[in-house]
Structure formats: C-alpha cells, structure tokens
Amino acid sequence: MSWYGSHEYLNEFIQENQCRRIMEVGVYNGENAISMVKAAITSLPAAEIVYYGFDFFHSYSTEYIGRKLDETGCKHFLYEGNTLDTVPEAAKTLPTMDMIFIDGGKSFMEAWSDWEGSSKLIHSGTGVFVHNVGFSGVAKMVENIPRDIYDVELFFPRFEGKVALVRRIA
C-alpha cells in the first residue's frame, strides 16, 4: 500500500496496534488524516474508527477536510482554532487515544501546550509521535518530557529529520 508522504511509520503503528482513536495536532490539508484512517480501516471497520483533528484550518476549511473524512466512513471531530486553546479544552472531555501525531506549532510554548493536552489522553498502549524535533522549540519540549513516566525514542525517517515516539512506561 502506498502511504501519504513519508509518514509511513504512523500508518504502520496504526495497523500493528489496531488503533481506533486517532488524534492529529496540525491537520493542514487532511491527506495525512485520510492516510491514517485508511491504515486503521485495513484491520477494523470504518465505523469503529474515530479521528480527532486540531488546526487553524486557514489553508483548508473544516468543511473540506470533513468531506474527505466522510468518504472514508469514519467518525471524525475537527477542532478549529489555536491549539494553545483547543487541545487543552478538548482534552478535558475526550477519551484516551490509541495514536497521537503532534505536528503543530514549532515554538516551545506551542509544542509544550500540545504535549500537555495530549499527555492527558494517553493509555498504556498509546503511541505519541512528535514531528519536527529538529526545531529548537519542539526539541526543548521533547527534552522536558519526564523520563521517569515516559519512554522517548528518537528516530530519523527518510526525508523528515528527527521524530520522537513517546510511550507511557508500564
């Protein structure tokens, strides 16, 4: 199967772990969202997949992304606005996620806020992928993740730079 861009590690994780609840911070054009949902659908019925997307939705509207997600048959929720506000607020009521992809703001404040909100939605099997760890703000956020609670693995996918996989220590 051909995956969108070079985020194939997300799709592999989704398939291997039969992820039902997928969250993405930084949706952009929705292509990655569609790819991740399609990966989940390879092992689970589309109606059991729930996608949660956070973005300003300046370049592509929630209606546009929503129509694309509708075509997959998954359930989806799109949160429009600054993730400094939307992620922490939504984290108060959302269920735990099976996979989270953080690809939002690059400053430390933005990245830390995205992490803090996302960290409230982690269960023992959740994989949190942090994109763009090469940016100083994102790198500082990853460095500040408490290693007594989380395992942090850095890896270098082709054409992407540094990515972190964060998992709760059992």
Side-chain angles (χ1 to χ4, degrees), residues 81-116:
N82 190 328
T83 63
L84 288 169
D85 303 317
T86 58
V87 173
E89 187 60 33
K92 294 174 185 175
T93 59
L94 290 179
T96 57
M97 300 293 152
D98 299 317
M99 201 280 304
I100 300 171
F101 182 48
I102 300 175
D103 190 16
K106 308 304 181 243
S107 74
F108 174 74
M109 182 178 69
E110 293 165 318
W112 187 255
S113 177
D114 291 345
W115 161 251
E116 278 192 314

mmCIF file of all heavy atoms in Angstrom, residues 81-116:
data_model
loop_
_atom_site.group_PDB
_atom_site.id
_atom_site.type_symbol
_atom_site.label_atom_id
_atom_site.label_comp_id
_atom_site.label_asym_id
_atom_site.label_seq_id
_atom_site.Cartn_x
_atom_site.Cartn_y
_atom_site.Cartn_z
ATOM 1 N N GLY A 81 -9.078 26.328 15.504
ATOM 2 C CA GLY A 81 -8.556 27.394 16.345
ATOM 3 C C GLY A 81 -7.123 27.131 16.745
ATOM 4 O O GLY A 81 -6.484 26.181 16.291
ATOM 5 N N ASN A 82 -6.626 27.981 17.601
ATOM 6 C CA ASN A 82 -5.259 27.864 18.101
ATOM 7 C C ASN A 82 -5.178 26.683 19.060
ATOM 8 O O ASN A 82 -5.949 26.607 20.026
ATOM 9 C CB ASN A 82 -4.879 29.167 18.811
ATOM 10 C CG ASN A 82 -3.423 29.236 19.160
ATOM 11 O OD1 ASN A 82 -2.786 28.234 19.445
ATOM 12 N ND2 ASN A 82 -2.888 30.442 19.157
ATOM 13 N N THR A 83 -4.249 25.770 18.822
ATOM 14 C CA THR A 83 -4.138 24.585 19.675
ATOM 15 C C THR A 83 -3.732 24.929 21.102
ATOM 16 O O THR A 83 -3.914 24.102 21.995
ATOM 17 C CB THR A 83 -3.169 23.544 19.085
ATOM 18 O OG1 THR A 83 -1.845 24.089 19.006
ATOM 19 C CG2 THR A 83 -3.636 23.079 17.710
ATOM 20 N N LEU A 84 -3.214 26.143 21.325
ATOM 21 C CA LEU A 84 -2.963 26.572 22.706
ATOM 22 C C LEU A 84 -4.267 26.577 23.497
ATOM 23 O O LEU A 84 -4.270 26.377 24.710
ATOM 24 C CB LEU A 84 -2.347 27.977 22.733
ATOM 25 C CG LEU A 84 -0.903 28.099 22.271
ATOM 26 C CD1 LEU A 84 -0.530 29.563 22.095
ATOM 27 C CD2 LEU A 84 0.037 27.413 23.237
ATOM 28 N N ASP A 85 -5.377 26.778 22.790
ATOM 29 C CA ASP A 85 -6.701 26.793 23.414
ATOM 30 C C ASP A 85 -7.468 25.489 23.190
ATOM 31 O O ASP A 85 -8.050 24.937 24.125
ATOM 32 C CB ASP A 85 -7.535 27.956 22.851
ATOM 33 C CG ASP A 85 -6.868 29.306 23.047
ATOM 34 O OD1 ASP A 85 -6.331 29.546 24.147
ATOM 35 O OD2 ASP A 85 -6.869 30.112 22.100
ATOM 36 N N THR A 86 -7.483 25.029 21.954
ATOM 37 C CA THR A 86 -8.371 23.910 21.601
ATOM 38 C C THR A 86 -7.935 22.569 22.175
ATOM 39 O O THR A 86 -8.784 21.784 22.617
ATOM 40 C CB THR A 86 -8.533 23.789 20.075
ATOM 41 O OG1 THR A 86 -7.240 23.620 19.465
ATOM 42 C CG2 THR A 86 -9.227 25.019 19.494
ATOM 43 N N VAL A 87 -6.640 22.269 22.162
ATOM 44 C CA VAL A 87 -6.185 20.966 22.675
ATOM 45 C C VAL A 87 -6.435 20.846 24.184
ATOM 46 O O VAL A 87 -7.041 19.870 24.625
ATOM 47 C CB VAL A 87 -4.713 20.678 22.295
ATOM 48 C CG1 VAL A 87 -4.208 19.419 22.984
ATOM 49 C CG2 VAL A 87 -4.574 20.525 20.778
ATOM 50 N N PRO A 88 -6.003 21.817 25.015
ATOM 51 C CA PRO A 88 -6.269 21.676 26.448
ATOM 52 C C PRO A 88 -7.765 21.609 26.782
ATOM 53 O O PRO A 88 -8.175 20.847 27.653
ATOM 54 C CB PRO A 88 -5.635 22.917 27.078
ATOM 55 C CG PRO A 88 -4.682 23.440 26.071
ATOM 56 C CD PRO A 88 -5.198 23.013 24.737
ATOM 57 N N GLU A 89 -8.561 22.383 26.079
ATOM 58 C CA GLU A 89 -10.005 22.385 26.346
ATOM 59 C C GLU A 89 -10.626 21.041 25.966
ATOM 60 O O GLU A 89 -11.389 20.456 26.725
ATOM 61 C CB GLU A 89 -10.686 23.530 25.594
ATOM 62 C CG GLU A 89 -12.140 23.713 25.941
ATOM 63 C CD GLU A 89 -12.405 24.014 27.412
ATOM 64 O OE1 GLU A 89 -11.581 24.663 28.079
ATOM 65 O OE2 GLU A 89 -13.465 23.578 27.901
ATOM 66 N N ALA A 90 -10.298 20.539 24.789
ATOM 67 C CA ALA A 90 -10.851 19.259 24.335
ATOM 68 C C ALA A 90 -10.358 18.100 25.203
ATOM 69 O O ALA A 90 -11.097 17.138 25.436
ATOM 70 C CB ALA A 90 -10.487 19.017 22.872
ATOM 71 N N ALA A 91 -9.127 18.195 25.683
ATOM 72 C CA ALA A 91 -8.556 17.105 26.496
ATOM 73 C C ALA A 91 -9.351 16.858 27.773
ATOM 74 O O ALA A 91 -9.275 15.780 28.356
ATOM 75 C CB ALA A 91 -7.093 17.403 26.828
ATOM 76 N N LYS A 92 -10.134 17.847 28.195
ATOM 77 C CA LYS A 92 -10.953 17.681 29.400
ATOM 78 C C LYS A 92 -12.068 16.660 29.196
ATOM 79 O O LYS A 92 -12.546 16.078 30.172
ATOM 80 C CB LYS A 92 -11.574 19.019 29.809
ATOM 81 C CG LYS A 92 -10.570 20.058 30.250
ATOM 82 C CD LYS A 92 -11.271 21.388 30.502
ATOM 83 C CE LYS A 92 -10.285 22.498 30.821
ATOM 84 N NZ LYS A 92 -10.975 23.798 30.955
ATOM 85 N N THR A 93 -12.491 16.447 27.952
ATOM 86 C CA THR A 93 -13.649 15.591 27.699
ATOM 87 C C THR A 93 -13.405 14.440 26.729
ATOM 88 O O THR A 93 -14.243 13.551 26.624
ATOM 89 C CB THR A 93 -14.826 16.429 27.151
ATOM 90 O OG1 THR A 93 -14.422 17.071 25.943
ATOM 91 C CG2 THR A 93 -15.266 17.467 28.180
ATOM 92 N N LEU A 94 -12.291 14.463 26.012
ATOM 93 C CA LEU A 94 -12.041 13.411 25.021
ATOM 94 C C LEU A 94 -11.667 12.085 25.692
ATOM 95 O O LEU A 94 -11.102 12.079 26.786
ATOM 96 C CB LEU A 94 -10.913 13.823 24.072
ATOM 97 C CG LEU A 94 -11.226 14.954 23.101
ATOM 98 C CD1 LEU A 94 -10.008 15.263 22.244
ATOM 99 C CD2 LEU A 94 -12.422 14.621 22.233
ATOM 100 N N PRO A 95 -11.928 10.969 25.008
ATOM 101 C CA PRO A 95 -11.471 9.677 25.521
ATOM 102 C C PRO A 95 -9.968 9.537 25.290
ATOM 103 O O PRO A 95 -9.362 10.350 24.581
ATOM 104 C CB PRO A 95 -12.239 8.677 24.653
ATOM 105 C CG PRO A 95 -12.427 9.386 23.353
ATOM 106 C CD PRO A 95 -12.636 10.840 23.732
ATOM 107 N N THR A 96 -9.366 8.493 25.842
ATOM 108 C CA THR A 96 -7.953 8.242 25.566
ATOM 109 C C THR A 96 -7.800 7.863 24.095
ATOM 110 O O THR A 96 -8.709 7.340 23.467
ATOM 111 C CB THR A 96 -7.385 7.122 26.451
ATOM 112 O OG1 THR A 96 -8.151 5.943 26.249
ATOM 113 C CG2 THR A 96 -7.371 7.523 27.916
ATOM 114 N N MET A 97 -6.634 8.154 23.571
ATOM 115 C CA MET A 97 -6.327 7.906 22.163
ATOM 116 C C MET A 97 -5.411 6.691 22.041
ATOM 117 O O MET A 97 -4.654 6.369 22.954
ATOM 118 C CB MET A 97 -5.620 9.118 21.547
ATOM 119 C CG MET A 97 -6.427 10.392 21.583
ATOM 120 S SD MET A 97 -7.882 10.284 20.530
ATOM 121 C CE MET A 97 -8.966 11.411 21.382
ATOM 122 N N ASP A 98 -5.468 6.056 20.887
ATOM 123 C CA ASP A 98 -4.564 4.944 20.604
ATOM 124 C C ASP A 98 -3.285 5.440 19.928
ATOM 125 O O ASP A 98 -2.222 4.842 20.088
ATOM 126 C CB ASP A 98 -5.258 3.910 19.713
ATOM 127 C CG ASP A 98 -6.481 3.328 20.387
ATOM 128 O OD1 ASP A 98 -6.409 3.019 21.596
ATOM 129 O OD2 ASP A 98 -7.527 3.197 19.717
ATOM 130 N N MET A 99 -3.410 6.530 19.164
ATOM 131 C CA MET A 99 -2.253 7.112 18.494
ATOM 132 C C MET A 99 -2.478 8.611 18.384
ATOM 133 O O MET A 99 -3.576 9.057 18.069
ATOM 134 C CB MET A 99 -2.070 6.514 17.098
ATOM 135 C CG MET A 99 -0.673 6.659 16.516
ATOM 136 S SD MET A 99 -0.239 8.246 15.778
ATOM 137 C CE MET A 99 -1.496 8.463 14.563
ATOM 138 N N ILE A 100 -1.428 9.378 18.685
ATOM 139 C CA ILE A 100 -1.476 10.833 18.590
ATOM 140 C C ILE A 100 -0.278 11.283 17.755
ATOM 141 O O ILE A 100 0.847 10.834 17.987
ATOM 142 C CB ILE A 100 -1.423 11.493 19.987
ATOM 143 C CG1 ILE A 100 -2.613 11.042 20.836
ATOM 144 C CG2 ILE A 100 -1.370 13.016 19.870
ATOM 145 C CD1 ILE A 100 -2.547 11.468 22.301
ATOM 146 N N PHE A 101 -0.541 12.171 16.809
ATOM 147 C CA PHE A 101 0.520 12.745 15.993
ATOM 148 C C PHE A 101 0.549 14.239 16.254
ATOM 149 O O PHE A 101 -0.411 14.952 15.950
ATOM 150 C CB PHE A 101 0.269 12.458 14.513
ATOM 151 C CG PHE A 101 1.345 12.961 13.586
ATOM 152 C CD1 PHE A 101 2.688 12.728 13.846
ATOM 153 C CD2 PHE A 101 1.013 13.640 12.431
ATOM 154 C CE1 PHE A 101 3.678 13.174 12.978
ATOM 155 C CE2 PHE A 101 1.987 14.092 11.552
ATOM 156 C CZ PHE A 101 3.325 13.855 11.827
ATOM 157 N N ILE A 102 1.631 14.726 16.855
ATOM 158 C CA ILE A 102 1.795 16.148 17.150
ATOM 159 C C ILE A 102 2.680 16.769 16.077
ATOM 160 O O ILE A 102 3.869 16.473 15.983
ATOM 161 C CB ILE A 102 2.400 16.370 18.557
ATOM 162 C CG1 ILE A 102 1.489 15.774 19.629
ATOM 163 C CG2 ILE A 102 2.639 17.861 18.796
ATOM 164 C CD1 ILE A 102 2.052 15.845 21.041
ATOM 165 N N ASP A 103 2.060 17.619 15.273
ATOM 166 C CA ASP A 103 2.756 18.297 14.182
ATOM 167 C C ASP A 103 2.232 19.724 14.092
ATOM 168 O O ASP A 103 1.869 20.214 13.038
ATOM 169 C CB ASP A 103 2.531 17.541 12.865
ATOM 170 C CG ASP A 103 3.423 18.045 11.746
ATOM 171 O OD1 ASP A 103 4.406 18.751 12.023
ATOM 172 O OD2 ASP A 103 3.125 17.732 10.574
ATOM 173 N N GLY A 104 2.134 20.369 15.246
ATOM 174 C CA GLY A 104 1.568 21.711 15.323
ATOM 175 C C GLY A 104 2.637 22.779 15.341
ATOM 176 O O GLY A 104 3.618 22.726 14.604
ATOM 177 N N GLY A 105 2.465 23.740 16.238
ATOM 178 C CA GLY A 105 3.393 24.865 16.340
ATOM 179 C C GLY A 105 4.797 24.422 16.708
ATOM 180 O O GLY A 105 5.001 23.390 17.351
ATOM 181 N N LYS A 106 5.762 25.224 16.309
ATOM 182 C CA LYS A 106 7.172 24.847 16.480
ATOM 183 C C LYS A 106 7.853 25.549 17.647
ATOM 184 O O LYS A 106 8.966 25.211 18.008
ATOM 185 C CB LYS A 106 7.960 25.128 15.201
ATOM 186 C CG LYS A 106 7.348 24.520 13.945
ATOM 187 C CD LYS A 106 7.152 23.030 14.039
ATOM 188 C CE LYS A 106 6.578 22.468 12.771
ATOM 189 N NZ LYS A 106 5.272 21.857 12.913
ATOM 190 N N SER A 107 7.184 26.522 18.264
ATOM 191 C CA SER A 107 7.800 27.174 19.425
ATOM 192 C C SER A 107 7.673 26.250 20.628
ATOM 193 O O SER A 107 6.824 25.350 20.653
ATOM 194 C CB SER A 107 7.102 28.502 19.730
ATOM 195 O OG SER A 107 5.827 28.280 20.317
ATOM 196 N N PHE A 108 8.497 26.477 21.637
ATOM 197 C CA PHE A 108 8.414 25.651 22.841
ATOM 198 C C PHE A 108 7.030 25.765 23.478
ATOM 199 O O PHE A 108 6.427 24.768 23.858
ATOM 200 C CB PHE A 108 9.496 26.042 23.860
ATOM 201 C CG PHE A 108 9.336 25.313 25.168
ATOM 202 C CD1 PHE A 108 9.669 23.971 25.278
ATOM 203 C CD2 PHE A 108 8.821 25.966 26.278
ATOM 204 C CE1 PHE A 108 9.493 23.281 26.473
ATOM 205 C CE2 PHE A 108 8.642 25.286 27.483
ATOM 206 C CZ PHE A 108 8.981 23.947 27.575
ATOM 207 N N MET A 109 6.517 26.990 23.576
ATOM 208 C CA MET A 109 5.216 27.198 24.225
ATOM 209 C C MET A 109 4.115 26.415 23.492
ATOM 210 O O MET A 109 3.300 25.742 24.124
ATOM 211 C CB MET A 109 4.867 28.680 24.260
ATOM 212 C CG MET A 109 3.562 28.985 24.966
ATOM 213 S SD MET A 109 3.189 30.753 25.060
ATOM 214 C CE MET A 109 2.862 31.130 23.356
ATOM 215 N N GLU A 110 4.083 26.488 22.166
ATOM 216 C CA GLU A 110 3.071 25.773 21.390
ATOM 217 C C GLU A 110 3.252 24.260 21.517
ATOM 218 O O GLU A 110 2.284 23.526 21.764
ATOM 219 C CB GLU A 110 3.156 26.156 19.913
ATOM 220 C CG GLU A 110 2.774 27.591 19.627
ATOM 221 C CD GLU A 110 3.199 28.035 18.245
ATOM 222 O OE1 GLU A 110 4.323 27.712 17.800
ATOM 223 O OE2 GLU A 110 2.396 28.724 17.606
ATOM 224 N N ALA A 111 4.485 23.802 21.345
ATOM 225 C CA ALA A 111 4.757 22.362 21.402
ATOM 226 C C ALA A 111 4.457 21.808 22.796
ATOM 227 O O ALA A 111 3.873 20.722 22.925
ATOM 228 C CB ALA A 111 6.212 22.084 21.009
ATOM 229 N N TRP A 112 4.838 22.539 23.840
ATOM 230 C CA TRP A 112 4.594 22.071 25.209
ATOM 231 C C TRP A 112 3.092 22.010 25.498
ATOM 232 O O TRP A 112 2.606 21.061 26.110
ATOM 233 C CB TRP A 112 5.312 22.919 26.240
ATOM 234 C CG TRP A 112 5.190 22.331 27.609
ATOM 235 C CD1 TRP A 112 4.393 22.767 28.625
ATOM 236 C CD2 TRP A 112 5.831 21.148 28.081
ATOM 237 N NE1 TRP A 112 4.519 21.929 29.719
ATOM 238 C CE2 TRP A 112 5.397 20.931 29.408
ATOM 239 C CE3 TRP A 112 6.741 20.252 27.519
ATOM 240 C CZ2 TRP A 112 5.838 19.858 30.174
ATOM 241 C CZ3 TRP A 112 7.184 19.192 28.281
ATOM 242 C CH2 TRP A 112 6.733 19.000 29.589
ATOM 243 N N SER A 113 2.354 23.008 25.046
ATOM 244 C CA SER A 113 0.906 23.008 25.233
ATOM 245 C C SER A 113 0.272 21.819 24.508
ATOM 246 O O SER A 113 -0.593 21.130 25.060
ATOM 247 C CB SER A 113 0.302 24.321 24.722
ATOM 248 O OG SER A 113 -1.100 24.297 24.839
ATOM 249 N N ASP A 114 0.712 21.559 23.271
ATOM 250 C CA ASP A 114 0.195 20.399 22.515
ATOM 251 C C ASP A 114 0.523 19.102 23.250
ATOM 252 O O ASP A 114 -0.313 18.195 23.338
ATOM 253 C CB ASP A 114 0.782 20.366 21.107
ATOM 254 C CG ASP A 114 0.278 21.501 20.221
ATOM 255 O OD1 ASP A 114 -0.728 22.158 20.590
ATOM 256 O OD2 ASP A 114 0.895 21.733 19.166
ATOM 257 N N TRP A 115 1.746 19.008 23.794
ATOM 258 C CA TRP A 115 2.137 17.811 24.544
ATOM 259 C C TRP A 115 1.311 17.662 25.820
ATOM 260 O O TRP A 115 0.801 16.585 26.114
ATOM 261 C CB TRP A 115 3.625 17.824 24.882
ATOM 262 C CG TRP A 115 3.945 16.878 25.992
ATOM 263 C CD1 TRP A 115 4.292 17.195 27.270
ATOM 264 C CD2 TRP A 115 3.893 15.446 25.947
ATOM 265 N NE1 TRP A 115 4.455 16.060 28.018
ATOM 266 C CE2 TRP A 115 4.221 14.964 27.228
ATOM 267 C CE3 TRP A 115 3.597 14.520 24.945
ATOM 268 C CZ2 TRP A 115 4.272 13.611 27.527
ATOM 269 C CZ3 TRP A 115 3.646 13.167 25.243
ATOM 270 C CH2 TRP A 115 3.971 12.724 26.523
ATOM 271 N N GLU A 116 1.201 18.737 26.601
ATOM 272 C CA GLU A 116 0.468 18.654 27.869
ATOM 273 C C GLU A 116 -0.975 18.211 27.655
ATOM 274 O O GLU A 116 -1.482 17.353 28.380
ATOM 275 C CB GLU A 116 0.495 19.993 28.601
ATOM 276 C CG GLU A 116 1.745 20.227 29.387
ATOM 277 C CD GLU A 116 1.606 21.414 30.330
ATOM 278 O OE1 GLU A 116 1.113 22.482 29.899
ATOM 279 O OE2 GLU A 116 1.970 21.250 31.503
#
